[in-house]
């Protein structure tokens, strides 16, 4: 089975977010970057499927050279090779087009990624890649089993879960508990040194999005305590101060 | 907060569900001096510690229980023999990578780090360095994977700082060596499958012998009631007319210099490891000081608390510089025993002082098992004494400065 895992290169979940003075870019100074947590689940499941059924796992990232340590980490975890598409993407549509271009050439059986990134949290790329390739895409996938050319997928739906069967090739946006995160071991880290990491120039040059301004959400206000029996004050505050009624 | 249990033969260990949110300080942006690989190694071991050690360590220590399952897990993550070449199952890594592994494991617990240091520097290292090719192939892969646990026998009941006075000895009986004597304060001994034992020949020369569990006359009684390193097992090695096959003698080097080379490697790991314990105390104290309100403001706003935190960070940063430089020198084969003595002595001492200051910042909470402080502090009381006491390292430096050894 030929599996592609698309990984994002995102700030660690404990990062204190700030922007450049003009507000147009994320300030990456001193920030630790990680594989997107949902992508990490997808990668872990891909490795499990490879270990059980044979095949290859390729890790892919759309990004500039600074994302290579994140791809090396995917190699340390167990991917066989990696592809970096050499462009700093501005939106999901651009990322999806780049991924689809690689997929058209490589014919993967499974294209896995996280249900969403944890920087822009768009959650759109898997659907777009499926459309561009004309193959099914499913998200959020919490279980994924493959027998022959048929995948059994369990996904979350409003108020319950849905189990469906889908023919390969398939795009899946994954989340826990699809697999347990894998911690790279020392042998994997050493082995990652010599695994191939291919840099591909982008297909799409024009992007449809430009950033006008990033800003942080307003700081959380202090919590206002109201006596349990004082409904009138609660209603008054909701109506006149919070303006939600 | 705790949840379900990890059943063992006689002790039940509770797993904590509280999230370990440790963050390491990097005041001088020393990460810039690390390779991407080294950062990934640190990240991986930190994640490993958060997953496998932090949830159980407080209860293991409270119950003085060695979680033996961790040995196989250390093998899987590659913590054993990081500097041993990959063809023997080691990691083939540089010395600062080894140091970072030790830092992260000791951030979890000094006892856990002791288990790993002993296996890596005191068992695998001498077998690799002084062993025959057959010995390397027989022992190293199994020690690297954690299938076997090893220990190192140098210290004796009457010979601690003066190992050359040892009385453990072996006689050449033609077909085998006959080993007699006893070793004390041996980390891992009660569970060890293999012991690298230093003993005197009939000519009075110190040699290394590999003794295996099951050899007749060999026993490993456990040392109970420790107030320190409670999650690691410690014991004795007793040799009562043990017949050791001749092929178990380490052929590569004899004399006290051989075990001392092992100790240099282990002490370097300890110097790194102590930084981990210090960082954990500092990180916990910093968080606690920001959250604990007295006189209507966080105690972090008081000058005496800030003084403590500032001094802790200063000492951690100096300690990092010491070991990072020595690690590079070890890779180049230029590190000396006195250099390593300086780092081991300094870093363990500052870690102990930081633990004590952090304990004060935590107030009464600092003495409970809710926080790691008291556990680190008690652990470090062993670390400041083992592998060359605090004072002996001072005298090694004194001898280096003056050319006059004060301990002979």
């Amino acid at each position: 089975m030929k599996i592609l895992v698309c990984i994002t290169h995102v700030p660690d979940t404990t990062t204190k977010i700030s922007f450049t003075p003009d507000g147009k870019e994320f300030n990456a100074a001193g920030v630790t970057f990680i594989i997107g947590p949902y992508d990490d689940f997808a990668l872990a499941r891909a490795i499990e499927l490879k270990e059980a059924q044979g095949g290859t796992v390729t890790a892919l990232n759309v990004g500039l050279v600074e994302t290579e340590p994140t791809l090396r980490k995917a190699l340390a975890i167990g991917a066989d090779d990696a592809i970096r598409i050499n462009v700093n993407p501005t939106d999901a549509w651009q990322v999806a087009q780049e991924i689809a271009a690689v997929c058209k050439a490589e014919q993967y059986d499974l294209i896995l990624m996280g249900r969403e990134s944890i920087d822009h949290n768009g959650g759109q790329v898997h659907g777009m890649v499926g459309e561009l390739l004309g193959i099914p895409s499913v998200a959020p996938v919490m279980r994924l089993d493959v027998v022959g050319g048929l995948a059994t997928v369990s996904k979350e739906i409003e108020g319950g879960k849905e189990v469906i069967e889908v023919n390969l090739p398939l795009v899946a946006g994954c989340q826990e508990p699809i697999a347990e995160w894998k911690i790279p071991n020392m042998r994997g880290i050493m082995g990652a040194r010599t695994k191939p990491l291919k840099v591909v120039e982008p297909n799409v040059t024009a992007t449809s999005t430009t950033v006008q301004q990033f800003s942080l959400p307003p700081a959380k206000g202090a919590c206002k305590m109201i006596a349990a029996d004082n409904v009138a004050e609660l209603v008054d505050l909701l109506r006149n101060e919070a303006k939600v009624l | 907060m705790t949840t379900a249990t990890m059943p063992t033969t006689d002790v039940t260990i509770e797993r904590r569900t509280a999230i370990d949110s440790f963050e390491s300080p990097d005041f001088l942006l020393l990460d810039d001096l690390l390779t991407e690989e080294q950062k990934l190694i640190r990240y991986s071991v930190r994640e490993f510690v958060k997953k496998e050690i932090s949830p159980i360590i407080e209860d293991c220590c409270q119950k003085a229980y060695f979680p033996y399952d961790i040995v196989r897990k250390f093998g899987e993550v590659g913590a054993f023999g990081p500097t041993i070449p990959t063809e023997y199952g080691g990691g083939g890594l540089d010395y600062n990578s080894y140091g970072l592994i030790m830092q992260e494991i000791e951030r979890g617990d000094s006892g856990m780090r002791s288990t790993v240091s002993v296996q890596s520097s005191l068992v695998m290292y001498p077998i690799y360095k002084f062993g025959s090719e057959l010995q390397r192939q027989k022992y190293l892969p199994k020690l690297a994977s954690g299938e076997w646990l090893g220990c190192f026998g140098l210290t004796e009941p009457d010979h601690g700082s003066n190992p050359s006075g040892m009385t453990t000895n072996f006689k050449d009986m033609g077909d085998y060596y006959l080993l007699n004597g006893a070793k004390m304060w041996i980390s891992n001994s009660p569970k060890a499958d293999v012991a690298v034992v230093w003993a005197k020949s009939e000519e009075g020369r110190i040699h290394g012998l590999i003794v295996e569990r099951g050899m007749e006359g060999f026993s490993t009684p456990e040392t109970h009631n420790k107030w320190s390193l409670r999650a690691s097992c410690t014991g004795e090695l007793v040799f009562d007319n043990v017949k050791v096959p001749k092929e178990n003698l380490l052929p590569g080097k004899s004399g006290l210099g051989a075990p001392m080379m092992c100790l240099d490697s282990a002490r370097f790991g300890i110097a790194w490891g102590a930084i981990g314990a210090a960082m954990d105390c500092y990180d916990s104290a910093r968080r606690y000081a920001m959250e604990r309100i007295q006189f209507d403001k966080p105690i972090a706003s008081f000058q005496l608390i800030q003084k403590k935190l500032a001094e802790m960070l200063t000492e951690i940063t100096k300690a990092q510089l010491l070991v990072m430089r020595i690690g590079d020198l070890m890779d180049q084969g230029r590190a000396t025993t006195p250099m390593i003595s300086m780092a081991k002595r300094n870093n363990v001492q500052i870690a102990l002082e930081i633990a004590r200051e952090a304990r004060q910042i935590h107030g009464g909470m600092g003495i409970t098992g809710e926080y790691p402080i008291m556990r680190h502090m008690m652990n470090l009381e062993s670390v400041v004494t083992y592998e060359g006491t605090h004072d002996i390292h001072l005298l090694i430096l004194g001898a280096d400065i003056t050319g006059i050894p004060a301990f002979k």
Side-chain angles (χ1 to χ4, degrees), chain A residues 14 16 34 40 69 72-73 76 180-181 183-187 189-190 193, chain B residues 36-37 40-41 43-45 47-48 51 75-78 89 91-93:
Chain A
T14 56
K16 295 184 181 51
I34 58 170
D40 232 346
R72 286 276 170 218
K73 186 180 160 195
E180 200 175 337
W181 277 339
I183 298 172
N185 64 29
M186 302 307 122
R187 282 175 283 280
I189 293 169
M190 288 296 284
R193 253 185 211 177
Chain B
E36 286 303 331
E37 230 163 54
L40 183 53
I41 286 165
Y43 164 87
S44 301
V45 181
E47 292 298 305
F48 173 86
K51 184 175 171 211
E76 281 166 17
V77 80
L93 300 172

Side-chain angles (χ1 to χ4, degrees), chain A residues 140-192:
Chain A
V141 173
M142 299 160 75
R143 239 191 84 188
L144 169 64
D145 294 303
V146 179
V147 179
L150 191 69
T152 306
V153 164
S154 165
K155 64 177 285 228
E156 206 169 43
I157 55 168
E158 198 71 39
K161 74 172 187 179
E162 184 178 52
V163 180
I164 50 179
E165 288 186 337
V166 197
N167 286 318
L168 301 188
L170 164 72
V171 184
C174 307
Q175 71 167 54
E176 73 278 18
I178 193 165
E180 200 175 337
W181 277 339
K182 293 196 186 308
I183 298 172
N185 64 29
M186 302 307 122
R187 282 175 283 280
I189 293 169
M190 288 296 284

Side-chain angles (χ1 to χ4, degrees), chain B residues 30-31 34 38 42 94-107 113 117 265-279 316 319-328 330 340 343-344 347-348 351 383:
Chain B
L30 294 175
D31 273 12
L34 300 178
Q38 288 170 330
R42 181 184 57 190
D94 60 276
Y95 269 94
N96 278 339
S97 294
Y98 170 54
L100 287 163
I101 295 170
M102 296 298 110
Q103 172 188 297
E104 292 303 318
I105 296 175
E106 187 144 5
R107 205 281 299 175
R113 199 271 304 135
S117 299
S265 166
R267 289 163 178 173
F268 169 75
I270 292 170
W272 266 101
I275 297 173
M279 282 178 169
I316 287 170
Q320 286 178 301
L321 288 168
L322 262 178
V323 290
M324 286 179 81
R325 174 64 183 152
I326 293 176
D328 286 341
M330 287 184 81
I340 294 166
K344 191 270 182 184
N347 291 12
V348 178
V383 182

